[in-house]
């Protein structure tokens, strides 16, 4: 179930009509045991029904012109029971910013957080949840599961090219396991362009996923795990992965990540890693990161995101030349930061910043 569309029954549908309001909606379902007993075809048909919202228009500014944005958050089953969401208020704030960036009214952040927590809670009560498994501790939670929370915007009916004035915000949940799996942590650069200055690279919007998806598919076909984008103008600086932020640990111990600007997505995982690294006394720099510096000076690299967590990059191939970092295995610092972050998320390491929010 790497990234299935097994949408859980409870969804939230909110709408802006001068004010934000909405409802939790219980989509068609059977009991968890009955669904487990269905044939694959029957289950897929049921999931397809749950992925259908008759009230949402087919033709609108999102489906036609890509004027939509979304979020990705996760609810983690806790070692001592219950479900907690990692920094949901950060996702709600970014969702509002993204919507405003696309010229539409930003979602009410409180309503968005309530929708995120409320869907997970209601689905959990029905048994559509993920249970904590102590086995996950053995591989630093690399193989652990969670509930993925996906809020997204959807514009009102429209065929002319226009901005949305009365968008919907929908929140769905689906179970997820590891995003990057296996032991291939080799990445390559791509010459495709993800984001340009004065563009939408800083917005978590649908349109930004077109080129990365093409680039990543090509990279995967060539045997790599991920495609790394360089800046659009000079093609000299490392920017991001296809849907994740980039970090390099230099041989002198400095952790560097590209500085935020209009071409970098402000990742919540990125921000959290910076906090955790600084706490350990690691020198962290947010600045332009030349590819040449990564290739010559990095001893570890990794990418970060809600889906990726912290995923090591053990080599980077640029224009056919492969550079291996350190001993070619996932780096010690990367894995230790991963262990701490996942530990906080799954409730085995103290949540000293109050990042985890219970759905109860
Ligand atoms: C979502 C996303 C990230 C990661 O952000 P998180 O908040 O850490 O999940 C990084 N880059 C891009 C392009 C993204 O869309």
């Amino acid at each position: 179930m790497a990234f299935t569309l097994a949408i859980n029954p409870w969804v939230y549908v909110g709408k802006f009509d001068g004010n934000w309001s909405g409802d939790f909606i219980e989509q068609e379902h059977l009991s968890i045991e009955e669904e487990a007993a269905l044939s694959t075809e029957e289950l897929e048909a049921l999931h397809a029904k749950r992925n259908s919202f008759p009230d949402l228009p087919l033709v609108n500014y999102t489906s036609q012109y890509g004027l939509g944005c979304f979020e990705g958050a996760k609810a983690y089953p806790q070692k001592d029971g219950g479900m907690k969401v990692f920094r949901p208020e950060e996702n709600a704030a970014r969702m509002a910013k993204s919507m405003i960036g696309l010229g539409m009214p930003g979602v009410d952040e409180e309503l968005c957080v309530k929708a995120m927590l409320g869907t997970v809670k209601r689905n959990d009560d029905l048994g559509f949840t993920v249970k904590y498994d102590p086995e996950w501790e053995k591989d630093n939670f690399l193989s652990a599961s969670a509930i993925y929370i996906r809020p997204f915007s959807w514009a009102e009916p429209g065929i002319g090219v226009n901005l949305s004035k009365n968008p919907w915000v929908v929140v769905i949940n689906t179970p997820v396991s590891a995003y990057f799996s296996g032991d291939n942590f080799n990445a390559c650069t791509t010459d495709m362009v993800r984001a340009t200055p004065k563009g939408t690279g800083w917005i978590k919007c649908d349109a930004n996923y077109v080129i990365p998806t093409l680039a990543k598919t090509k990279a995967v076909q060539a045997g790599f795990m991920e495609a790394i984008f360089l800046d659009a103008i000079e093609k000299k600086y490392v920017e991001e992965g296809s849907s994740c932020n980039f970090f390099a640990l230099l041989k002198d111990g400095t952790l560097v990540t590209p500085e935020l600007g209009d071409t970098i997505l402000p990742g919540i995982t990125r921000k959290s890693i910076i906090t955790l690294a600084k706490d350990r006394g690691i020198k962290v720099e947010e600045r332009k990161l030349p590819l040449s510096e990564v290739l010559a000076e990095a001893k570890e690299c990794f990418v970060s995101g809600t889906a990726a967590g912290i995923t090591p990059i053990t080599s980077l191939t640029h224009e056919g030349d492969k550079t291996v970092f350190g001993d070619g295995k996932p780096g010690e610092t990367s894995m230790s930061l991963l262990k701490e972050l996942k530990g906080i998320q799954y409730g085995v390491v103290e949540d000293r910043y109050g990042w985890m929010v219970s759905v109860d």
Side-chain angles (χ1 to χ4, degrees):
M1 64 171 176
F3 213 125
T4 62
L5 245 190
I7 291 182
N8 288 340
W10 280 99
V11 300
Y12 182 89
V13 180
K15 174 123 215 278
F16 185 76
D17 276 315
N19 287 299
W20 282 98
S21 61
D23 292 304
F24 289 97
I25 297 170
E26 189 174 8
Q27 299 273 79
E28 185 175 331
H29 68 89
L30 304 172
S31 73
I32 196 87
E33 296 80 17
E34 286 165 339
E35 291 202 6
L38 293 178
S39 70
T40 308
E41 293 73 23
E42 288 167 329
L43 191 58
E44 278 178 1
L46 187 53
H47 286 157
K49 271 193 201 164
R50 292 214 284 265
N51 189 23
S52 165
F53 300 87
D55 287 349
L56 300 185
L58 281 181
V59 178
N60 73 341
Y61 313 128
T62 305
S63 61
Q64 309 293 297
Y65 310 119
L67 280 160
C69 55
F70 64 93
E71 272 303 319
K74 275 183 184 172
Y76 299 86
Q78 301 294 292
K79 189 177 172 77
D80 58 4
M83 296 289 284
K84 287 185 180 175
V85 180
F86 183 68
R87 311 187 78 172
E89 68 293 339
E90 292 279 340
N91 292 95
R94 190 171 62 191
M95 181 76 185
K97 255 191 214 145
S98 294
M99 293 176 77
I100 292 165
L102 295 181
M104 61 179 120
V107 70
D108 180 279
E109 293 174 31
E110 227 172 275
L111 172 136
C112 189
V113 170
K114 263 193 216 156
M116 291 166 68
L117 301 177
T119 45
V120 174
K121 165 78 179 145
R122 283 166 173 78
N123 285 316
D124 188 65
D125 286 347
L126 282 181
F128 287 80
T129 192
V130 170
K131 292 271 178 247
Y132 188 87
D133 183 351
E135 284 292 305
W136 296 338
E137 291 166 28
K138 293 186 183 157
D139 70 351
N140 289 337
F141 296 95
L142 263 179
S143 63
S145 300
I147 294 293
Y148 189 75
I149 308 168
R150 165 58 57 86
F152 60 95
S153 73
W154 195 252
E156 68 272 28
I159 186 87
V161 180
N162 240 320
L163 298 178
S164 174
K165 292 190 181 68
N166 298 106
W168 278 267
V169 164
V170 180
V171 180
I172 64 99
N173 302 166
T174 182
V176 280
S177 55
Y179 185 65
F180 294 112
S181 51
D183 51 8
N184 177 3
F185 299 117
N186 301 297
C188 60
T189 57
T190 172
D191 58 2
M192 296 181 86
V193 174
R194 189 192 87 88
T196 56
K198 305 290 177 196
T200 57
W202 61 280
I203 302 176
K204 203 168 179 74
C205 62
D206 305 353
N208 286 352
Y209 273 72
V210 178
I211 290 163
T213 304
L214 295 171
K216 181 169 176 169
T217 304
K218 228 165 119 177
V220 168
Q221 282 166 354
F224 297 101
M225 164 198 81
E226 176 63 310
I228 302 296
F229 287 89
L230 304 179
D231 73 284
I233 307 294
E234 295 182 72
K235 304 204 185 296
K236 246 172 74 178
Y237 300 99
V238 174
E239 295 220 311
E240 285 201 57
S242 62
S243 57
C244 35
N245 295 110
F246 186 90
F247 285 84
L249 182 70
L250 306 182
K251 288 168 190 161
D252 73 1
T254 310
L255 184 64
V256 190
T257 190
E259 63 193 351
L260 297 181
D262 55 6
T263 61
I264 303 283
L265 198 286
I268 299 161
T269 317
R270 173 188 180 280
K271 182 172 164 175
S272 307
I273 290 166
I274 291 172
T275 301
L276 296 180
K278 282 183 176 167
D279 270 3
R280 296 177 175 206
I282 294 175
K283 188 171 155 213
V284 182
E285 291 178 355
E286 296 178 64
R287 59 168 166 86
K288 279 186 186 292
L289 177 57
L291 174 66
S292 58
E293 186 181 1
V294 172
L295 298 180
E297 297 299 329
K299 59 176 175 183
E300 296 182 24
C301 290
F302 61 86
V303 285
S304 76
T306 297
I310 289 176
T311 301
I313 288 185
T314 54
S315 79
L316 185 58
T317 297
H318 176 62
E319 292 174 351
D321 290 331
K322 178 173 178 177
T323 301
V324 175
F325 303 114
D327 60 5
K329 298 209 184 77
E332 205 178 301
T333 301
S334 316
M335 296 317 282
S336 162
L337 284 167
L338 168 73
K339 189 173 175 184
E340 185 175 8
L341 179 67
K342 291 284 172 190
I344 292 170
Q345 292 172 331
Y346 285 96
V348 302
V349 169
E350 190 203 340
D351 175 22
R352 60 189 186 277
Y353 290 102
W355 283 340
M356 305 307 296
V357 180
S358 171
V359 302
D360 288 305

